[in-house]
Each structure stands twice: as structure tokens, then as C-alpha cells.
Amino acid sequence: MDKTLTHSQIRHAVQDAYDECKNMTGGKNADYIPFLANIDPDLFGISVVLTDGTTFDVGDTGYKFGIESVSKVLTAILVMKQFGAEAVLKQIGADATGLPFNSIFAILLENDHPSTPLVNAGAIAACSMVEPKGDSWGKWEAIINNIADLCGSEAQVLDELYRSETETNFNNRAIAWLLKNYNRIYDDADMSLDLYTRQCSVGITASQLAICAGTIANGGINPVTKVNVFDRKLASKITTLIAAVGFYQNTGDWMYTSGIPAKSGVGGGVLGVYPGVMGVAAFAPPLDEAGNSVKAQAAVKAIMKKLDIGVFNGDSIAVVAD
Ligand code: GLN
């Protein structure tokens, strides 16, 4: 079916979703990273970026929170750019694990590859792949510049978060060395782990994440800066990865109930991609037991429901200004 959405319909859907979810309770801040436990749990923002660059922001969309696992999407794009989609499939994989994001059991079950760049194991492997090999600073430049390109503006590490993560990332250290044992780390293991920890500690706003989501939805062209950030063919690959595992062990339930591929982070961020239509980001710190923001999930679902859209609905959607 052909479906037309107007800008004001979308603006109202975003505002209504915000009003509806603002006073929701439930969930709690991540506490295994001490810095995150102390973030104001009432922060809440939603941002939507259409593929024509039109933006709708409501709430705390300028607040810089920890990007955490949403960074996995951005660095997966970088390694796809550097090596191609096929190499990422071979060297990391594109499968859901059905297990928590930091699962060691998942690596033992599939020791021939780390499953997907969107869980901790695959994200550490992705950091190990980043060119230039063996050059920690050069690799970091590539990672942070790619984040800036996708988000349309620069982002910096939150130093206190980085310290907090580095002091407590024992499980991730085990993952990095277990992958090394299976020849699935393609550079120095400790360096790859540090790059992963650093990228998780980047401060990002909901507005920036929505621009990144909009860039993926727009086939690699940043809808705000108009810069061609990555090859169009990679957009469907990255969206497939997000759809398969974006909410870890809860991904099936999420896709079934929301209708939009989305990726979460324990900083409280959610990035959703509606190919050809829009990118959406929501942020609120309290998480459910799988590490996904309770309010951000509710907000994205509310927008989808109000607009009556879903990527599997079979509708062809036109967005018009009014
Ligand atoms: N830095 C966090 C970790 O590695 C990211 C996890 C997440 O956001 N799901 O545990």
C-alpha cells in the first residue's frame, strides 16, 4: 500500500511519544560500570532525522551520554568500508548469538567466529581489524573520524567514563584473549580491547545518533551534511546486522513488537533505522535486564505505532513537507 506521512504528523508522533513515556518508571541504570550508575535517571530525549535532513528533537537531545554498544554499529560500518561486507562476514560473522552482549559462552559455542560485530566479542574483533594495523593512534583516528562523519559533528571520549570502564572491564579482557586463542583477533589483543573500551566511552547526543541512523536509512549519505559517508550497498548489510541482534537475546521480541531494526547501548541510547524513511534515536538511562533502555524502547515503539508503520508492513512510504 502507498502511504504518505507529513512532517507535522511525524512531529506530533515524536512529541506524543515523549509526553506518553516521560513519567514512565521501571528499569535501572547500568551499575557494572560505576560512572553510568550515577547518571541522572530522569534524562530523556528523542530525535528523528528524515532522509531529507528534516529533524525533530524533543527533550534532552543535547545531553552527551555514553554511546556504549551503539558504537559497535559505527565501527562495523568502518570495517565494512575498509574491507568490504564479505570480509566482515568471514572474519567476524552476521549471526545472532541469542545470548547476552558480553557472553563468553557464545564464543565457546561458536569458536570458529565471534558471531557478529554487534556483540562484545565481534566488536573487539572489529576494532582489531581497523586499519592501519599495529598503530593504536592511527586506528583511533579512523574510529573517531568515522563517528564524526556518520553523526555529522565531532564527538569526544568522556574521560571519566573511559577510566571507569577500563578499571572494571575484566569480562571483556577475558573475551579478547579467548578470541586470540581462536585466532579471531587480527591485531594486538590488548590494543583492540582498549580501542573497544575507548569507543564505548565516547559521549554522544541523541541528535547526533539520530543523524547517524538517518545516514544508514539514507543509504550512506548523511542527510544533514550531505556527505557520502559509505557505499550504498553497505546500508542493507548494517541494517541486517542491527535487525538480527540489536537487542541481544531480546531482539526477536523487539522486532516483533516495534517493527524497526534498532541497536541499544547500556548508556541508555537506542538507534533505530527505517530504510529510506528516517533514523530515530532515543535516550534514557534506566535499563531492563538485557541492558536495553526501558523508556527509549517505549518511545521508539510509540512513534512507530502512532505513525502506523513497520519495515515488514509492505507499505511504500512517501514523506512530504506541509
Ligand atoms: N562497554 C560496555 C561493555 O562492554 C558496552 C555494553 C553495552 O552497551 N551493551 O560491557
Side-chain angles (χ1 to χ4, degrees):
M1 201 179 81
D2 287 337
K3 195 173 162 72
T4 302
L5 294 175
T6 65
H7 284 190
S8 56
Q9 264 178 307
I10 298 170
R11 183 182 310 107
H12 283 126
V14 174
Q15 184 66 51
D16 289 352
Y18 179 82
D19 295 341
E20 203 173 290
C21 301
K22 190 171 168 29
N23 296 319
M24 252 179 106
T25 53
K28 71 180 197 12
N29 287 26
D31 54 9
Y32 74 103
I33 299 169
F35 177 91
L36 297 177
N38 298 322
I39 304 290
D40 178 358
D42 292 328
L43 286 163
F44 180 38
I46 312 174
S47 180
V48 166
V49 174
L50 306 180
T51 49
D52 68 3
T54 308
T55 300
F56 306 104
D57 279 349
V58 52
D60 301 310
T61 52
Y63 180 86
K64 286 189 184 140
F65 57 95
I67 188 170
E68 296 297 342
S69 282
V70 183
S71 67
K72 291 166 176 161
V73 171
L74 289 75
T75 299
I77 292 172
L78 176 62
V79 289
M80 282 184 191
K81 278 178 77 169
Q82 291 187 335
F83 298 93
E86 194 59 32
V88 171
L89 179 66
K90 284 213 181 83
Q91 293 187 244
I92 301 179
D95 258 343
T97 60
L99 289 165
F101 58 82
N102 55 2
S103 177
I104 286 180
F105 194 49
I107 306 170
L108 297 172
L109 284 173
E110 288 198 67
N111 60 45
D112 58 333
H113 63 74
S115 300
T116 163
L118 302 193
V119 298
N120 291 19
I124 296 168
C127 287
S128 78
M129 284 176 76
V130 170
E131 296 278 14
K133 284 277 145 59
D135 172 1
S136 169
W137 183 247
K139 283 165 84 99
W140 176 248
E141 289 268 281
I143 290 170
I144 199 76
N145 289 340
N146 177 60
I147 292 176
D149 290 345
L150 287 164
C151 296
S153 57
E154 283 182 9
Q156 283 87 27
V157 167
L158 300 172
D159 288 327
E160 208 187 321
L161 175 56
Y162 175 53
R163 264 198 304 280
S164 188
E165 293 220 24
T166 304
E167 283 163 8
T168 53
N169 65 353
F170 310 115
N171 190 87
N172 288 341
R173 290 185 214 178
I175 288 176
W177 284 97
L178 191 56
L179 289 175
K180 172 86 178 163
N181 182 55
Y182 293 127
N183 292 322
R184 291 292 158 184
I185 282 284
Y186 308 103
D187 205 337
D188 182 83
D190 284 327
M191 183 208 290
S192 306
L193 172 69
D194 179 58
L195 288 165
Y196 167 74
T197 310
R198 226 186 296 175
Q199 77 173 27
C200 285
S201 310
V202 164
I204 207 82
T205 67
S207 303
Q208 286 179 303
L209 273 192
I211 294 174
C212 174
T215 304
I216 301 170
N218 197 33
I221 298 173
N222 186 312
V224 174
T225 63
K226 312 293 178 204
V227 172
N228 192 349
V229 183
F230 62 84
D231 191 288
R232 181 166 188 84
K233 289 198 195 83
L234 300 181
S236 62
K237 300 298 182 199
I238 192 66
T239 310
T240 301
L241 293 178
I242 296 170
V245 76
F247 277 70
Y248 310 113
Q249 67 271 39
N250 291 356
T251 306
D253 285 354
W254 167 260
M255 281 302 304
Y256 197 95
T257 53
S258 71
I260 181 169
K263 178 78 200 82
S264 64
V266 291
V270 164
L271 165 152
V273 179
Y274 200 118
V277 177
M278 65 176 182
V280 52
F283 154 65
L287 311 175
D288 65 16
E289 74 299 333
N292 305 318
S293 168
V294 171
K295 243 189 235 184
Q297 289 183 75
V300 176
K301 277 187 195 175
I303 294 171
M304 298 296 291
K305 197 161 169 221
K306 281 169 205 310
L307 296 176
D308 189 25
I309 58 174
V311 289
F312 298 131
N313 289 7
D315 295 330
S316 136
I317 297 173
V319 180
V320 295
D322 54 352

